[in-house]
Amino acid sequence: MNDSTNGISILGSTGSIGISTLDVVERHPQRFRVVALSAHRNVERMAEQCRRFSPAYAVMVDAAAADALRQALADMPRPPEVLSGPEALETVASLPEVDYVMAAIVGAAGMMSSLAAARAGKRLLLANKEALVVAGAILMRAAADNGATLLPIDSEHNAIFQCLPATYAQGLAASGVERILLTASGGPFRDAAPESLAAVTPEQACAHPNWSMGRKISVDSATMMNKGLELIEACWLFNTAPERIQVVVHRQSVIHSMVQYNDGSVLAQLGNPDMRTPIAHALGWPERISSGVEQLDLFRVAQLDFEPPAPERFPCLRLAYRAAADGGTAPVVLNAANEVAVAAFLDRRIGFTDIARVVERTMDRLPPEAVDLSGLGHVLEVDGRARAVAEQSVADGVC
């Protein structure tokens, strides 16, 4: 083992972000070594990754999948230690031989391990939205108290980070920043007549024009709730209020976000839509390392379009701004209700436009509370209450 390399745990290694991370890491064997990989139950892909990258640890959250992985790797000369259960994620996120943690587990399941990495003072490469949306105050405090470095992996937040001055943590206004311009593709329904959206099917909602993503995040992009969650993330990451963030629909997904300064300057980060770019930036920061992404050809792009999101087409974005402004547990309720509503839509139990109705009804019934910063217990309890209210709304037929 080369002790000069940086040890990395990749949480969610069999998903798209995890696969892209391994692609970048493999290009730089002199800089990185894979210490741990984790997945939920994708044994086949995890076995392939273990044989290729020889991690010391492999975590399968599902216990039966962990047993299957042990059997699949039994013929390896030095198989990884296979761990199971959610607690194992926290273990490999805080190992002393780990320097970097890629937090790429989707949903609330990734919160505890992200928090464990922050408390252990790691470089936390954050691709898990819920860690900030649900527990932003807790995670940011843990990072500050323990000397962790938190770097955003979402292409938009990574772009903002690249365009902000080093002094942004002191406050955007004090750093000469007027506002953040958070770009959005607009999803598959950016030109749809609002009255046509009630008939949208799960297949149509999952057909994103620019990105290949999982079903849940594809629906979030179609409703623009994904952009709403990113708005809340940006407030925590960049120490700013929601009114300083403007969402801009940019069809080409070439400009990943922009920062507008008080002298009239606008700085933008451009690149081909490939998650290996922000991953490589966060892995190499403050240096730059190759990502394997094709260089952007401006002549082929030729045109860049911008427009405001239509409020009547994207009510979820309005609800996210409301949650960001209300603060406290409001984002917890927003996120939980949305997860329930999206699952119900994908199961064809509610319609596409009912997603926003479920979320708004849940927010109306659960006013925001101050967050208990001592741990995740309070936010998880609110999360549970919000899910119960949202499920009842679905059962009641929403309206």
Side-chain angles (χ1 to χ4, degrees):
M1 180 184 295
N2 181 357
D3 290 336
S4 66
T5 56
N6 293 298
I8 182 169
S9 285
I10 303 175
L11 309 182
S13 66
T14 61
S16 61
I17 296 294
I19 292 169
S20 293
T21 302
L22 285 170
D23 182 89
V24 176
V25 164
E26 192 171 27
R27 295 171 188 276
H28 303 278
Q30 76 286 1
R31 295 183 68 118
F32 307 108
R33 68 183 187 280
V34 177
V35 175
L37 300 173
S38 90
H40 185 59
R41 59 166 65 99
N42 191 337
V43 174
E44 183 178 356
R45 181 165 286 171
M46 175 59 81
E48 293 173 358
Q49 292 178 344
C50 288
R51 292 182 183 279
R52 185 166 184 171
F53 294 95
S54 302
Y57 302 90
V59 176
M60 303 300 290
V61 176
D62 181 80
D67 290 338
L69 182 65
R70 291 187 189 97
Q71 295 177 22
L73 300 178
D75 62 335
M76 285 184 67
R78 296 180 63 183
E81 181 178 350
V82 179
L83 308 175
S84 66
E87 300 80 8
L89 297 173
E90 298 176 54
T91 298
V92 298
S94 51
L95 291 167
E97 62 266 41
V98 166
D99 304 291
Y100 297 176
V101 174
M102 168 57 77
I105 298 173
V106 176
M111 286 197 303
M112 289 299 298
S113 51
S114 297
L115 185 58
R119 287 172 171 165
K122 306 301 184 184
R123 175 180 290 202
L124 177 57
L125 282 59
L126 192 63
N128 174 271
K129 292 185 191 306
E130 289 73 16
L132 282 175
V133 172
V134 174
I138 297 168
L139 182 64
M140 296 304 289
R141 173 173 286 191
D145 288 349
N146 295 283
T149 300
L150 202 163
L151 296 174
I153 296 301
D154 270 356
S155 58
E156 295 85 355
H157 299 97
N158 183 266
I160 295 163
F161 179 77
Q162 292 190 51
C163 294
L164 283 173
T167 57
Y168 75 86
Q170 301 170 12
L172 297 191
S175 299
V177 174
E178 193 72 27
R179 59 182 173 171
I180 288 169
L181 303 175
L182 184 65
T183 59
S185 69
F189 308 126
R190 59 197 174 200
D191 297 318
E195 59 272 17
S196 71
L197 296 178
V200 163
T201 67
E203 291 75 21
Q204 291 171 323
C206 291
H208 194 280
N210 297 359
W211 298 87
S212 175
M213 304 179 292
R215 281 163 62 82
K216 193 269 181 182
I217 194 172
S218 294
V219 175
D220 282 348
S221 179
T223 64
M224 284 195 73
M225 179 62 88
N226 191 50
K227 203 54 50 180
L229 298 177
E230 289 176 5
L231 160 77
I232 296 168
E233 283 185 273
C235 290
W236 286 114
L237 285 168
F238 308 120
N239 188 27
T240 191
E243 57 266 24
R244 281 192 175 269
I245 302 173
Q246 179 179 359
V247 174
V248 178
V249 174
H250 167 54
R251 294 167 179 265
Q252 292 84 4
S253 294
V254 169
I255 294 180
H256 298 298
S257 274
M258 298 169 276
V259 174
Q260 188 173 60
Y261 287 81
N262 58 14
D263 63 0
S265 300
V266 177
L267 300 187
Q269 189 268 338
L270 287 73
N272 283 315
D274 190 315
M275 288 305 298
R276 290 177 296 172
T277 296
I279 289 167
H281 176 266
L283 284 170
W285 182 84
E287 300 175 41
R288 297 274 180 170
I289 62 174
S290 63
S291 65
V293 177
E294 180 184 358
Q295 292 292 336
L296 180 66
D297 184 344
L298 290 173
F299 298 111
R300 189 167 63 189
V301 173
Q303 181 174 325
L304 301 173
D305 297 303
F306 308 96
E307 60 193 274
E312 68 278 7
R313 194 177 290 129
F314 302 114
C316 284
L317 187 57
R318 169 181 57 82
L319 296 173
Y321 267 101
R322 170 183 160 183
D326 288 348
T329 57
V332 181
V333 174
L334 174 91
N335 179 73
N338 179 66
E339 288 192 6
V340 168
V342 170
F345 167 68
L346 289 171
D347 290 342
R348 304 180 192 275
R349 290 185 289 142
I350 63 172
F352 182 75
T353 53
D354 293 329
I355 294 172
R357 295 190 183 103
V358 169
V359 174
E360 187 159 25
R361 175 183 283 192
T362 306
M363 293 177 69
D364 289 344
R365 293 187 177 181
L366 295 174
E369 305 169 10
V371 174
D372 179 354
L373 298 178
S374 62
L376 289 176
H378 178 223
V379 296
L380 293 176
E381 185 268 328
V382 172
D383 177 90
R385 275 192 278 144
R387 289 175 191 275
V389 171
E391 288 284 9
Q392 189 61 53
S393 291
V394 170
D396 291 343
V398 186
C399 297

